[in-house]
Each structure stands twice: as C-alpha cells, then as structure tokens.
C-alpha cells in the first residue's frame, strides 16, 4: 500500500541533488568529505561567534553531533542511522550572500535547521551544503576529475611538466609543490608586522571617531559629576555610538528622578545584560530594560547596601573558620553574579563549614586567598596564587588540599607580585578601555607574544594588557590583547 511513496522520495532527491550526483557511483572518503565541507565549517565555526555566546554554543554542540554522524557513516557494516536534527547559525560569506536567499540578521548570520537521514558521505555533504545555501561546484569538479578521463589516457605520460589546478591538490590531499615554495618565501605574520600593516587604517578610524569619543567622554563626565559616581563602565564591547545612546538614556532618567538616582553616590555603574547589583557592589543597568526597571533598582539600593554589609560579615566568618584565609571575588576570573546570588553561594558554604568543623590553626593561613565556585567539584590552586574552592567541597578533602598546597600558593602570590613590579602595565576590565583606539586580538592562554617591545612573554590568563605599539605608529594608539 506504500508503493506510491517511492516516486515521491525520488522526486525530492532530484530537487535537492544535481544531475551529476544521480549519475555518479563514486563514494567519498572521510578525508574528502572533510575537505568538501570546508566552506560549511568556515561559515559556522564557533571561533567566529565570539561576540555571540548563545549562537557559539549552538554551533559547537551541533558540530559535535555532526562529527558523530559522519563517523558512524564510515563504520563498516552499519545499516541505518537515526534521523539527526541539527541547528546552525551560518555567517554571511561570499558563497551564501547572493540574492534570493533568506536574509541575514543585522549581526551577519542566520539560523538554519535541517534533519540528516542520509546513508552515505556524498549525499550527506551535498545535503548539508544545499541546506546552508553553499556552493557544491567543487564536489562536481571532484567527480569530473575521477570519471572524465579514460584509463588509457591516464596512463599516457605527458611530454611536458603538468601544472595541476589547485582543486586537484585540494581534493586528493597531495601537496602542491608550488604552494610549498610560496609558503617558504612568505614571511610568517607576527604581532609587530600585523600592527605595522594595519597602523594607517587604525589612524584613519581613530580620526573619524574622535568627535563621537569626545561626546562620550563629555556625557560620562557630566553624569559622574551629577550623581557623584565612582565610574561608569560597560561589560561588553559595544560601539561608541551605542554607548552614547545608553548614556543619553540615563541622562533623561536623571532629569526625571534626580533624587532617587542620588542613591548611587560613590558607586560604579555598569551597563550590562541585566539589572541589579553585582557581587562586588557595582550597580548593573540592563540595556534591554526600560526606565521603570532602572528606577526601581535605584530605589532598592539602600536595601542592597544592607545586604552588602551582611555579605562582608559572612566572608569574615568563613575566613575565621578557615584559619584566616581571605575570601575574594575576582571579576575577571569568575562568572558574573548578582549580590543575591553570591550571598547565597557564601551562605551554603558557610553552613557546610559549621556542620563539619575543620581544625585549622587560627590565622595560620593569613595572606592567602580563595574564591568560591559553584561549577567545580574538586579544589584547585590557580597560577596567580588563590585557591578555587567548590561550594559543595568535602571538608576533609578541603583541609588536606589547603594544607599541602599552602606553601605553593604563597610562592605563586610572591611570583605574581614580582611580575607586577617588573612589568607595570595597566590592566583593564574587559570592555572598559575608554577613549583609546584598540585592536582586539584573540590569544590562547599563555600564548607567546612576538614583538620588538619589552613586554611580558606570556599573556596572563583572563587579563587584558594595554601594550604600546611599534615606534613607527602614533603614540595615541594602543592595542588590547584579549585572552579567550
């Protein structure tokens, strides 16, 4: 009774796959499949979504599932795979930016959903590329290279040297000797050479943005003076025009409710994703919230100050139970927590310590520091000298770990202080480099920096160093090294 479904399925395949695929009997190898999917990987690779954490996470998870699917296809003797539904955020590239396709968002990417139920690598690769509106011509050229020439012509030796097209080396995996020569002759790009090459462009952008930067500084100074603020900062790297818009919005609220906003006297205001008070006592203004939410927050600031005092007392009580070790919260190394979330974290840890008293000698651990983490299961010692302690850590294991690592922690902290004295560079929280023109260069933790300037040879974890540019560039420019 289902015999009529086979022509329907065949018709769907004819719409999806090109004619040369239906006439081809050749199967792709695993390496060829990876090469054929390079345009797709380039369009969805998580490294290109650094400013969009949600989309980055979706692409990472989908790539893992796709990798498992492709591996199962290559296993001998497999019968069929379960349909796998995948979602990718595809960046706008030269291949998929043509007219007649689904428009991209203002962020430069769009969501693509498809379900894989294919039985071989070639059809899987074609289905993925077509679903993402990417070209499949390079796969056709692979098929033509294999089938177009007769066997006897392949055996015939050429009278002259053959210079193969780059696609031949691209799909066969053979090394291109001409490309090897070019790579040898081409100098490796270093940080210094990259800055030299992009210096003129940075100067031009800096000059064009100076009026807007001056307006940003003026608005920031006026609001800080009006409300007697300690500072105004941004958690994210928004553009200057966006920051000016946020300050204008806060300025209008000051005109309407000046007395209420004076509750923030002496505080630091941070524009971020949600409203509240941070674990270190900064007033967080959510950029997606309306003035009504901001007003309610400023009205509740006195109660937040009371909670902050109770939190400091709780930290002192924990410190007393742990031999004088100082409980700290490091913004650059810990997740962004509100004051309520951090207080709850401390309270849970404190109650566990009370139930299981750890016999530390009073003040034996003075000078050491620790931070609390809710996403860890075992204690660890950071290279900067502080302890990473899980909230639900077993007290007996905690005592053993701290006592055995105490001297190493002191050595690490001493080395950190010596490092600061040797390289007195100013550090900035992420996104708070005010009016300077910066380049943001992603570096892995501990990446080696190659410059002609005397700078630290290793980039410390989660720090942003403001480094002077080469002498050939204007002194008004600077570069921010971002560790991701």
């Amino acid at each position: 009774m289902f015999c009529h479904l086979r022509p329907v399925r065949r018709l769907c395949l004819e719409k999806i796959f090109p004619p040369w695929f239906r006439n081809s009997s050749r199967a792709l190898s695993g390496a060829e499949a990876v090469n054929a999917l390079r345009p797709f990987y380039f369009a969805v690779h998580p490294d290109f979504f650094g400013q969009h954490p949600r989309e980055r996470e979706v692409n990472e998870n989908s790539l893992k599932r796709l990798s498992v699917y492709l591996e199962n296809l290559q296993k001998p003797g497999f019968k069929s795979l379960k349909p796998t539904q995948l979602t990718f955020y595809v960046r706008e590239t030269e291949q998929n930016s043509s007219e007649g396709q689904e428009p991209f968002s203002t962020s430069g990417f769009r969501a693509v959903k498809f379900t894989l139920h294919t039985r071989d690598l070639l059809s899987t690769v074609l289905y993925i590329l077509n679903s993402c509106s990417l070209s499949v011509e390079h796969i056709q050229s692979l098929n033509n290279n294999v089938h177009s020439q007769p066997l006897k012509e392949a055996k015939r030796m050429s009278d002259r040297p053959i210079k193969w097209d780059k696609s031949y080396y691209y799909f066969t995996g053979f090394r291109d000797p001409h490309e090897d020569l070019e790579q040898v002759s081409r100098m490796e790009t270093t940080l210094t050479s990259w800055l030299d090459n992009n210096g003129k462009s940075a100067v031009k952008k800096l000059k064009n943005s100076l009026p807007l930067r001056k307006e940003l500084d003026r608005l920031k100074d006026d609001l800080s003076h009006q409300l007697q603020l300690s500072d105004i900062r941004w958690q994210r790297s928004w553009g200057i025009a966006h920051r000016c818009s946020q300050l204008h919005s806060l300025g209008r609220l000051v005109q309407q409710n000046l007395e209420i906003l004076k509750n923030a006297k002496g505080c630091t205001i941070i524009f971020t994703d949600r409203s509240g008070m941070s674990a270190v006592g900064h007033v967080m203004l959510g950029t997606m919230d309306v003035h009504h939410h901001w007003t309610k927050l400023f009205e509740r600031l006195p109660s937040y100050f009371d909670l902050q005092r109770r939190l400091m007392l709780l930290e002192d009580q924990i410190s007393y139970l742990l031999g004088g070790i100082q409980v700290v919260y490091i913004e650059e190394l810990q997740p962004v927590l509100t004051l309520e979330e951090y207080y709850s974290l401390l309270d849970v840890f404190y109650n566990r310590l009370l139930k299981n008293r750890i016999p530390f000698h009073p003040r034996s651990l003075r000078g050491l520091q620790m931070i609390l983490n809710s996403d860890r299961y075992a204690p660890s010692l950071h290279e900067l000298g502080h302890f990473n302690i899980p909230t639900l850590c077993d007290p007996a294991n905690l005592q053993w770990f701290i006592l055995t690592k105490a001297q190493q922690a002191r050595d690490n902290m001493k080395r950190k202080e010596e490092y600061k004295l040797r390289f007195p560079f100013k550090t900035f929280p992420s996104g708070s480099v005010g009016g300077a023109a910066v380049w943001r260069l992603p570096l892995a933790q501990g990446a080696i920096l190659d410059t002609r300037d005397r700078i630290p040879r290793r980039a410390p974890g989660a720090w942003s160093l403001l480094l002077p540019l080469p002498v050939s560039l204007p002194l008004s420019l600077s570069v921010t090294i971002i560790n991701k």
Side-chain angles (χ1 to χ4, degrees):
M1 62 180 291
F2 296 103
C3 60
H4 66 283
L5 293 179
R6 182 167 295 177
V8 174
R9 184 172 180 270
R10 181 178 180 181
L11 178 62
C12 295
L13 287 174
E14 290 177 354
K15 290 183 178 180
I16 296 175
F17 301 129
W20 58 264
F21 165 74
R22 300 193 295 272
N23 298 328
S24 173
S25 60
R26 181 179 183 271
L28 286 182
S29 66
E32 289 171 340
V34 172
N35 284 333
L37 284 174
R38 281 188 178 181
F40 165 74
Y41 290 136
F42 181 73
V44 303
H45 200 283
D47 286 351
F48 293 106
F49 292 81
Q51 300 297 328
H52 306 281
R54 186 177 70 85
E55 289 78 5
R56 177 191 179 101
E57 183 179 2
V58 170
N59 282 9
E60 285 180 347
N61 295 332
S62 296
L63 283 174
K64 291 178 183 177
R65 297 177 60 198
L66 174 60
S67 177
V68 173
Y69 189 90
L70 295 176
E71 288 178 4
N72 291 334
L73 282 178
Q74 301 174 62
K75 292 181 179 178
F78 85 96
K79 295 181 179 180
S80 61
L81 298 176
K82 294 182 180 180
T84 301
Q85 185 174 5
L86 300 175
T87 300
F88 287 99
Y89 287 92
V90 183
R91 296 188 307 115
E92 181 177 8
T93 62
E94 294 181 359
Q95 290 192 20
N96 60 14
S97 59
S98 59
E99 296 181 359
Q101 298 177 4
E102 183 181 347
F104 289 84
S105 66
T106 56
S107 301
F109 54 80
R110 58 184 170 87
V112 175
K113 296 182 179 180
F114 53 86
T115 302
L116 293 178
H117 196 195
T118 48
R119 297 185 178 183
D120 59 85
L121 286 177
L122 181 56
S123 60
T124 302
V125 169
L126 288 170
Y127 187 76
I128 292 173
L129 294 176
N130 281 310
S131 299
C132 298
S133 303
L134 295 170
S135 173
V136 296
E137 293 179 359
H138 58 288
I139 303 180
Q140 182 179 4
S141 64
L142 167 65
N143 187 73
N144 292 339
N145 285 340
V146 176
H147 294 283
S148 63
Q149 298 183 8
L151 182 61
K152 61 179 182 180
E153 184 178 349
K155 292 182 179 180
R156 182 171 57 86
M157 298 297 293
S158 174
D159 296 331
R160 59 182 176 82
I162 299 176
K163 185 176 181 180
W164 294 100
D165 188 84
K166 289 187 179 295
S167 59
Y168 169 78
Y169 302 102
Y170 185 82
F171 292 112
T172 60
F174 298 146
R175 301 191 66 174
D176 184 353
H178 301 282
E179 186 175 349
D180 289 344
L181 291 175
E182 292 176 1
Q183 289 181 352
V184 171
S185 60
R186 191 187 308 127
M187 290 183 59
E188 182 182 357
T189 302
T190 63
L191 177 61
T192 303
S193 62
W194 189 92
L195 295 177
D196 286 333
N197 294 334
N198 292 273
K200 293 182 180 180
S201 174
V203 171
K204 182 178 179 181
K205 291 181 179 180
L206 175 63
K207 290 181 178 179
N208 294 338
S209 65
L210 283 179
L212 202 55
R213 291 176 183 275
K214 291 180 180 178
E215 174 68 7
L216 177 67
D217 292 338
R218 185 191 65 81
L219 291 172
K220 184 178 176 181
D221 292 340
D222 290 347
L223 287 172
S224 298
H225 178 73
Q226 239 179 324
L227 301 177
Q228 301 183 42
L229 301 175
S230 175
D231 193 12
I232 298 178
R233 287 162 39 188
W234 287 264
Q235 187 184 19
R236 294 188 177 275
S237 301
W238 285 300
I240 301 176
H242 195 174
R243 296 186 180 191
C244 287
S245 175
Q246 293 164 354
L247 292 182
H248 279 298
S249 182
L250 180 60
R252 289 192 295 270
L253 186 61
V254 170
Q255 295 176 359
Q256 300 168 3
N257 301 284
L258 178 59
E259 293 302 321
I260 295 178
L261 267 66
K262 284 185 176 180
N263 289 335
K265 178 181 178 181
C267 295
T268 294
I269 288 182
I270 299 181
F271 289 95
T272 181
D273 295 330
R274 54 176 175 169
S275 297
M277 178 169 280
S278 71
V280 292
H282 299 329
V283 179
M284 302 189 303
L285 298 182
T287 56
M288 301 301 293
D289 293 337
V290 295
H291 280 181
H292 172 73
H293 296 107
W294 287 4
T295 304
K296 291 293 183 182
L297 170 62
F298 283 105
E299 289 177 348
R300 294 198 305 268
L301 282 183
S303 62
Y304 276 117
F305 296 147
D306 291 338
L307 180 60
Q308 193 175 19
R309 285 189 286 269
R310 288 160 48 198
L311 184 144
M312 296 172 64
L313 179 61
L314 192 56
E315 288 179 336
D316 291 340
Q317 291 172 332
I318 294 174
S319 176
Y320 176 78
L321 293 176
L322 294 180
I325 189 171
Q326 183 184 7
V327 183
V328 296
Y329 179 89
I330 305 176
E331 288 183 274
E332 294 83 0
L333 301 180
Q334 292 183 254
V336 179
L337 298 177
T338 62
L339 195 64
E340 299 96 324
E341 293 169 343
Y342 187 50
Y343 183 87
S344 176
L345 201 67
L346 291 172
D347 187 57
V348 170
F349 184 70
Y350 176 68
N351 289 327
R352 289 178 62 86
L353 291 179
L354 286 180
K355 292 179 182 178
N356 304 275
R357 287 295 186 101
I358 304 177
F360 281 110
H361 189 279
R363 296 184 295 278
S364 60
L365 299 177
R366 290 186 63 180
L368 297 180
Q369 296 179 340
M370 60 164 280
I371 63 175
L372 274 180
N373 280 300
S374 58
D375 56 348
R376 289 179 175 267
Y377 299 95
S380 63
L381 177 61
H382 195 273
E383 59 183 2
L384 297 180
H386 61 266
F387 290 96
N388 288 311
I389 306 299
T391 309
L392 303 179
C393 181
D394 179 64
N397 292 337
L398 177 62
Q399 180 190 16
W400 176 85
F401 182 81
I402 292 180
L403 291 178
T404 55
K405 297 289 184 178
Q407 187 56 47
Q408 184 180 348
R410 296 186 189 277
D411 294 340
N412 288 0
M413 293 188 69
K414 182 180 179 181
R415 190 159 50 245
K416 179 183 70 173
E417 296 302 323
E418 293 175 351
Y419 187 91
K420 287 182 179 180
L421 294 175
R422 186 178 177 186
F423 304 107
F425 287 95
K426 189 175 182 180
T427 61
F428 294 88
S430 179
S432 68
V433 183
V438 299
W439 286 299
R440 296 188 175 272
L441 308 177
L443 287 182
Q445 183 167 346
I448 301 298
L449 304 178
D450 182 12
T451 71
R452 70 177 80 149
D453 300 302
R454 301 292 297 175
I455 63 174
R457 302 308 296 174
R458 289 189 176 272
W463 284 8
S464 297
L465 297 179
L466 190 65
L467 305 178
L469 293 185
V471 179
S472 59
L473 297 179
L475 296 178
S476 57
L477 294 177
S478 56
V479 58
T480 301
I481 307 298
I482 302 298
N483 180 16
K484 292 183 179 180

